Amino acid sequence: VEDGQLSGYLYVIIGGEIVDSITQRVEGSVIYQWLMWGLLAGLLLTLLITLSALALATGPLRRLARDVRRFQQQGFDKDEDLQLSHWDPDSKNEICQLGHAFESMAEQLTEQYQKVKSLDELRRELISHVSHDLRTPLASLLGYLETWQIKQQDLDPKQSEELIQIAHKNAKKISKLVEQLFELAHLDSGDVQIHYESVP
């Protein structure tokens, strides 16, 4: 529009016939199709390589997580062996080093638990034996002392002395057993120094 009068039109052609024909020729050409398939194959290959690299990088971490879960579920009190992955102790990979440390820790914990369990069973057995060993002389001691106490007036000095001697003998047995228990407790405390010496 010039001076209020329409003098002409301006046409902007975005996709003209020439562009359309060139596009149709390119889309229909074999090179274009091969190029598109090549691009698609390249994208798929890149995706596969990326996924493989991720799986390779996170594999040890997944293996360690599986070991931790298995150890957590199985615990110490199971009869079956603890089946953990074997980790290379000389590996430079931090996760492999962590896995090896976890494997060693799990083995040590299992061994210590078994030791504590067997010690506890031995301790229970020891208490059972000690109580039995103490009960016999103690019952004898009490029996002879009660007999002496009840029949003291009717016994002659020789019989009275005999009862006292038997009671004294049983009291010595009890004293010896108690001393042995104290010695065992002292040995069990771990404060004992071992002195080695040659013997024939």
Side-chain angles (χ1 to χ4, degrees):
V1 176
E2 293 179 353
D3 298 328
Q5 294 284 331
L6 179 65
S7 58
Y9 293 93
L10 174 66
Y11 289 96
V12 179
I13 301 172
I14 296 173
E17 291 176 11
I18 300 171
V19 174
D20 287 343
S21 66
I22 291 172
T23 305
Q24 284 175 357
R25 271 190 244 150
V26 167
E27 285 177 354
S29 74
V30 177
I31 296 172
Y32 176 75
Q33 289 176 357
W34 278 105
L35 185 66
M36 292 307 290
W37 281 111
L39 184 64
L40 187 63
L43 284 172
L44 284 173
L45 186 64
T46 306
L47 182 65
L48 284 174
I49 290 172
T50 306
L51 288 175
S52 300
L54 270 172
L56 192 65
T58 60
L61 189 60
R62 284 195 313 262
R63 204 170 69 163
L64 178 61
R66 187 175 59 240
D67 282 355
V68 171
R69 274 195 307 274
R70 188 176 295 149
F71 185 71
Q72 181 184 16
Q73 289 168 357
Q74 190 168 345
F76 300 115
D77 223 1
K78 306 286 187 220
D79 291 334
E80 64 236 30
D81 288 337
L82 190 63
Q83 307 252 330
L84 298 179
S85 303
H86 179 67
W87 297 88
D88 182 17
D90 301 324
S91 176
K92 301 292 184 208
N93 187 340
E94 291 89 359
I95 297 188
C96 288
Q97 292 173 356
L98 185 64
H100 177 67
F102 176 75
E103 180 185 11
S104 301
M105 180 200 69
E107 287 174 3
Q108 287 178 353
L109 283 174
T110 306
E111 286 174 16
Q112 288 175 355
Y113 177 76
Q114 293 303 326
K115 282 181 186 175
V116 167
K117 193 174 172 185
S118 63
L119 278 174
D120 191 44
E121 288 171 4
L122 285 172
R123 208 175 292 276
R124 275 199 296 264
E125 194 176 324
L126 175 72
I127 289 171
S128 170
H129 288 309
V130 164
S131 63
H132 179 268
D133 287 350
L134 280 173
R135 189 181 299 137
T136 305
L138 189 60
S140 180
L141 171 69
L142 288 172
Y144 280 105
L145 284 176
E146 284 173 4
T147 304
W148 178 78
Q149 193 175 20
I150 293 169
K151 296 185 175 184
Q152 183 181 3
Q153 307 297 332
D154 302 334
L155 297 173
D156 59 34
K158 186 180 177 186
Q159 290 175 326
S160 182
E161 180 68 25
E162 190 179 326
L163 288 173
I164 295 294
Q165 284 295 327
I166 294 171
H168 187 259
K169 182 179 161 188
N170 285 312
K172 278 188 173 179
K173 272 188 190 175
I174 293 171
S175 175
K176 188 176 179 184
L177 282 170
V178 170
E179 282 176 19
Q180 287 175 350
L181 281 175
F182 278 127
E183 187 177 352
L184 181 64
H186 177 66
L187 290 172
D188 198 30
S189 69
D191 298 333
V192 180
Q193 297 274 337
I194 299 175
H195 301 286
Y196 296 98
E197 60 182 49
S198 300
V199 292

